[in-house]
Amino acid sequence: MGALSDAAAMRHMDVHMEAEEKYAEACLAACGADRLARKLQLEMASCLASDSCTPPVRWGPWLYYRRADEGKQYPVLCRRSAALHSEFVSYSDPSAGFDFTAGKRIEQKLVDYNKEAERFGGYSYEELSEVSPDHRFIAYTMYDKDKDSFTLMVRDLVTGTLYDKPCADRVSNISWAMDGKALVYIVTNEERRPYRLFCSMIGSNKDDILMLEEHDENIFLNIRHTKDFRYITLNVFSDTHSKVYLINASDPLSQMTLVWEGESQVHCIVEHHRGQLYLFTDAAREGVPVDSHYVMQSVVESSGPNSWKNVFVEEPDVILEDVDFCDTHMVLTLRQGRKLRLCSVKLPLTEDIKVPTHLSDLHPIDLPLPSDVCQIVSGPNYDYYSSTMRFTISSPVMPDAVVDYNLLNGQWQIVQQQNMLHERTRALYGTSFAVNMGRQSSDKADFSNDDFVGCAWNELSEYYACEYYDVPSKDSVLVPLTLVYSRKHKQDGNPGLLHGHGAYGEILDKRWRSELKTLLDRGWVIAYADVRGGGGYGKKWHQDGSRTKKMNSVYDFVSCGEFLLEKGIIQENKLAGWGYSAGGLLVASAINFRPDLFRAAVLKVPFLDVCNTLLHPILPLTAIDYEEFGFPVDHEEFLAIRKYSPYDNIQKDVPYPAVFVTSSFNTRFGVWEAAKWVAKVREFTQYDPERPVILNLTTDVVEESKYLQTKELALETAFLIKMVCNV
C-alpha cells in the first residue's frame, strides 16, 4: 500500500472495494442473511435506547445537556436555568418550559453541531469541548476532513458570536484560565505529536503566546485543569521519563512549577483540594514497580518531586481503579477480584489521621450498587462545589444506569436508564433535588431523605443469568470468563459468541447491549474472556499480554473457547468469535492458531497486518502502540510480532471459519489491512462456499447515526446466525 496521497493507488483501492462490496452482497443474499438482517434491524430498533437527550448536568446556575432534533444527524448543545421552574425539570426532556418573565423559551441553544458540520463540508464531529468557569464562553474542536485535523474555536454563549481567535488547527488539549478570560491549548505537529503550548487572551487582537515548544520527537505534552479551576497541570511524557508541572490558572504566563516526576509510560493525574495536591498514578514507588494505581498527597505551597506521601496503606488484592473529587468528598472505585466497590471519603482528611492510613480508618461510606457490576464510570461532575456526583453503572444483565449519588446523606437516584421490558426509558422529574443539587458546600445544607426518591435497579437478572468461571490457560494461569444467557432458552449445547480484547490494559466491555438481546432470545450464550493484555486485574496482567508476551492473550482466548466446548456450554461447531480493533487482532490470531475451534467470527475495524504497520506506518502511531505490540526494529521483538501477527500466520490448505470483517477509510487501522488479510485468507485456505470471508466497507458516519449503527449490527448478527445455526 502506498501513501494516502498516491492517487493511482487510491483509485486501485476504490476499484477493489467496489468489487468487495458486490461480493459481500452476493454472499449475504446466497445464505439469506440480507433478508434476516432487515428483520433484525426492525427488532433491534425497538430495543435501542430512544433517548433524544442526555440527562442534564448541573453546573452552577445552569443545567447543560445535548439533545437531538428529529431528522437531524448531529446533536445540539443546550442549557437552561436550574432555578427557573425547577419543580418541573424533566431529566428526559429538560427543554420543556417557557420563561414568561423574559418572554422566551427556557432553553438556550449554545452550539448546533448540524450547522457546524455544514461549515466543514457536511461532515464533521466534535472531539473536545470546555465551557468556561464563568459560563460565558465555550471552546471546542471540530474535525476538518480536508485537513484531517481538529480545528479550535471559541464561541460567546451570550451573543452566539464565533470569535476570530484563537483559531488553530491540530489541537489536542484545551484548558480555561483566568476564570474564562484566557484559554491554554496544545497543538500537534504533522506526525500528531503534541508539542506546542499556547495561551490565548479571549477578545484580544494580539497573537497567541507560545508558552512552551518541545523539539524532541520523543516528548509529548498534555494539559488538564484541576476541578476547582485553580491550576492547570502540564504532563510531559517521553520514552525515558514522565513529569507534571503546575500552572497557576490565575496567572498562566507565570513560571510553571515541577511537582512530580517518574519513569516513562505511566498514568498520572494531579488534583487540587483546599491547598493540598492529590496525585493518582501507577508509577513505581521508590523505584519498585506497582501493580495498580494509588493516591499520594502533597502541600501545594511546598510541592515538588520529593514532597509526596502515600494516602492509603496498600491492601493485598485490592485494585484502585479510579478516584474523583468534589469540595466535600473523594470517591474511590475499587476492585477486588471480580467485585467492584464505590465508596466516598470526607474531605479534607481529619488532622488526627496521619497518612499513609488504612482506608477503613477514614470511615468510607459504601454507595449502593446492583449485583453483577462490571464497570463504573465517573460522570462529567463539572460542579466542584456540589456534593452530588454522577456515575454510570454497568452490568452484563442490566442496561447502563446513570446515577446521581448524594454524598452528604448517601441517597441515590437513577436519572436515566433504559427499561428493556417495556421498551422505553425511565423518565424522572426534579423536585427539591433539582434545586439542592448545586448548592455550594459552604451552605452546610442538610439534605433530607426527600432529596432522592427511592429507586430500584432496573436489572434483567430474572430473565437473563450471569455466571463466572476461571479457565486454566496454556501455562495454567486462570483466565476470568463471564457468561450471559437467557434463563428461558438455556440448554446443553447452545450456540455461542466469545468476545475478547486484551490490549492497552483496557477493560473488556461486558456491559448489557440491547443488540445482544437478539442473540440471547434465540438461545445464544454470550461469553467474555478477560485475557491477559487487558485491564481490571493489575499492570502485570496487562504486561503479560503485550509485546513479546502477546501470544499469552491468544492462548487465553483459545483456552476459553475450548472450555466452552469441553463443558458442553456451547455445542461443537457452533462457537463464534467477536473482536473490535485490537480485539480483532486477538480473534484473528486465535483463528490462525485454532481455525477448527470457530465456526464464524466478526472482526470490526481490526488490526491485522501488525509487522508492516509497525515498520512502515501509513497512519501515525504513538509510543503507546509500540509499547503495546512491540518494536519490530528489535530482532527478538520482531520475531515475537511475526508469531502473533494475523496476516503473517494464515494456515495453508486448511478450512477456516466464516469471517465478517468490517472496516472503513476513517479507522485507526487502515482499510487496506483488512483488504490484504481477507485476500490472503481466500488465497491460502480451503475454499468453502458455506464459509465465506466477507469484507464489509462501512461509511464514515456510522458512529453518528443510530439508523446506520443498527443496520450494521443487524447485518453482523444475521451473518452469525446464518453461519452458525444453519449448519
Side-chain angles (χ1 to χ4, degrees), residues 642-710:
R642 282 295 295 264
K643 189 174 181 181
Y644 74 77
S645 174
Y647 182 74
D648 298 299
N649 291 281
I650 297 167
Q651 294 194 38
K652 267 200 163 189
D653 301 323
V654 298
Y656 259 47
V659 186
F660 190 87
V661 185
T662 298
S663 191
S664 84
F665 281 99
N666 192 35
T667 65
R668 198 157 158 265
F669 303 116
V671 67
W672 47 88
E673 289 199 22
K676 285 172 62 178
W677 186 84
V678 165
K680 192 172 180 180
V681 170
R682 290 177 189 153
E683 179 187 354
F684 274 42
T685 63
Q686 282 185 15
Y687 172 71
D688 183 351
E690 300 297 318
R691 299 185 177 203
V693 178
I694 295 173
L695 176 58
N696 180 50
L697 192 66
T698 64
T699 63
D700 292 344
V701 295
V702 166
E703 291 184 3
E704 286 82 32
S705 168
K706 275 191 177 179
Y707 169 79
L708 292 175
Q709 280 181 10
T710 310

Side-chain angles (χ1 to χ4, degrees), residues 24 103 108 259 269 283 460:
Q108 295 182 14
V259 294
I269 293 178
L460 305 173

Side-chain angles (χ1 to χ4, degrees), residues 22-36 38 687-692 694 715 718-719 722-723 726:
K22 291 178 180 177
Y23 180 78
E25 289 175 358
C27 288
L28 294 170
C31 67
D34 57 343
R35 294 188 300 277
L36 178 58
R38 288 192 288 271
Y687 172 71
D688 183 351
E690 300 297 318
R691 299 185 177 203
I694 295 173
L715 202 56
F719 175 82
K722 288 296 182 181
M723 293 300 107
N726 288 9

Side-chain angles (χ1 to χ4, degrees), residues 612-621 626 672:
N612 281 318
T613 297
L614 293 178
L615 281 169
H616 311 290
I618 295 174
L619 298 175
L621 297 175
Y626 288 100
W672 47 88

